[in-house]
């Protein structure tokens, strides 16, 4: 999304009593890496592999099982939907720091508020430097953070000055 479009998008999503201090889209590969290794993705992959193995064992020792085939279709559908969600999240996520809160918006026809945190709940941010100029700003109190941002030092300073 272009800078002007992103600015209009942010203005449409924030509340009237807030002022946008900083906004950016994360680097896609950072979101992909984080979500790909998340416990829920591992669970979906495990269930998918388990149903594949059960289908193979049933086919070798018995015959085709309709119920196992249905489980296989559902499990593989879950895996595919999980990867579609990761792709959507990585391409459509926008981080917005306002004068009152940190908001994660999903870009759609209108801004969808995905997550919102009050500035006083963020705690002290911790920077994790990346080797590609994109850093992560982690909030240990929330067990969440901003992943793949270019100007992380600015974000840390803005949060510290507005708490």
């Amino acid at each position: 999304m272009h800078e002007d479009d992103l600015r209009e998008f942010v203005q449409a999503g924030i509340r009237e009593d807030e002022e946008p201090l900083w906004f950016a889209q994360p680097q896609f590969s950072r979101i992909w890496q984080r979500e790909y290794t998340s416990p829920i993705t591992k669970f979906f992959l495990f269930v998918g592999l388990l149903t594949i193995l059960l289908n193979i064992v049933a086919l070798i020792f018995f015959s085709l099982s309709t119920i196992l085939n249905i489980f296989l279709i559902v499990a593989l559908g879950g895996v595919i939907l999980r990867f579609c969600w990761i792709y959507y999240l990585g391409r459509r996520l926008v981080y917005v720091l306002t004068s009152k809160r940190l908001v994660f918006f999903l870009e759609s026809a209108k801004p969808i508020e995905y997550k919102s945190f009050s500035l006083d709940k963020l705690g002290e941010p911790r920077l994790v430097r990346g080797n590609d100029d994109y850093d992560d700003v982690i909030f240990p109190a929330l067990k969440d953070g901003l992943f793949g941002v270019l100007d992380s030092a600015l974000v840390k300073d803005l949060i510290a000055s507005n708490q």
Side-chain angles (χ1 to χ4, degrees):
M1 185 182 298
H2 295 289
E3 183 71 26
D4 293 335
D5 295 335
L6 190 57
R7 185 175 308 280
E8 289 177 22
F9 174 79
V10 168
Q11 288 292 346
I14 63 172
R15 299 175 187 152
E16 291 181 13
D17 62 338
E18 294 177 324
E19 176 187 340
L21 302 175
W22 172 86
F23 53 89
Q25 286 188 290
Q27 183 188 29
F28 174 74
S29 63
R30 290 289 179 91
I31 299 296
W32 176 260
Q33 289 169 356
R34 177 162 170 77
E35 292 296 322
Y36 183 71
T37 59
S38 70
I40 192 165
T41 304
K42 290 178 182 178
F43 172 75
F44 277 113
L45 290 173
F46 174 75
V47 169
L49 288 174
L50 183 65
T51 56
I52 290 170
L53 289 174
L54 285 175
N55 268 302
I56 291 171
V57 168
L59 182 62
I60 290 173
F61 293 110
F62 307 108
S63 65
L64 284 175
S65 170
T66 305
I67 293 175
L68 281 178
N69 284 334
I70 291 171
F71 282 135
L72 177 67
I73 291 169
V74 169
L76 292 180
V79 170
I80 290 168
L81 286 175
R82 179 63 185 166
F83 286 129
C84 289
W85 170 250
I86 293 171
Y87 180 80
Y88 179 78
L89 185 66
R91 291 291 182 201
R92 302 290 185 184
L93 187 63
V94 177
Y95 299 134
V96 180
L97 180 64
T98 71
S99 55
K100 296 188 178 189
R101 61 191 177 131
L102 174 65
V103 189
F104 296 15
F105 284 123
L106 289 175
E107 177 190 341
S108 185
K110 62 179 185 172
I112 299 171
E113 196 171 302
Y114 179 55
K115 293 180 186 177
S116 177
F117 305 105
S118 176
L119 288 181
D120 58 347
K121 302 235 190 279
L122 295 179
E124 182 65 30
R126 183 174 53 91
L127 292 181
V128 178
R129 298 282 180 200
N131 55 2
D132 57 354
D133 293 335
Y134 287 92
D135 304 328
D136 299 335
V137 181
I138 307 296
F139 303 103
L142 300 176
K143 297 181 180 162
D144 206 348
L146 307 175
F147 302 98
V149 295
L150 194 55
D151 43 1
S152 60
L154 172 66
V155 173
K156 184 178 177 183
D157 292 341
L158 285 171
I159 290 171
S161 66
N162 284 296
Q163 282 185 334

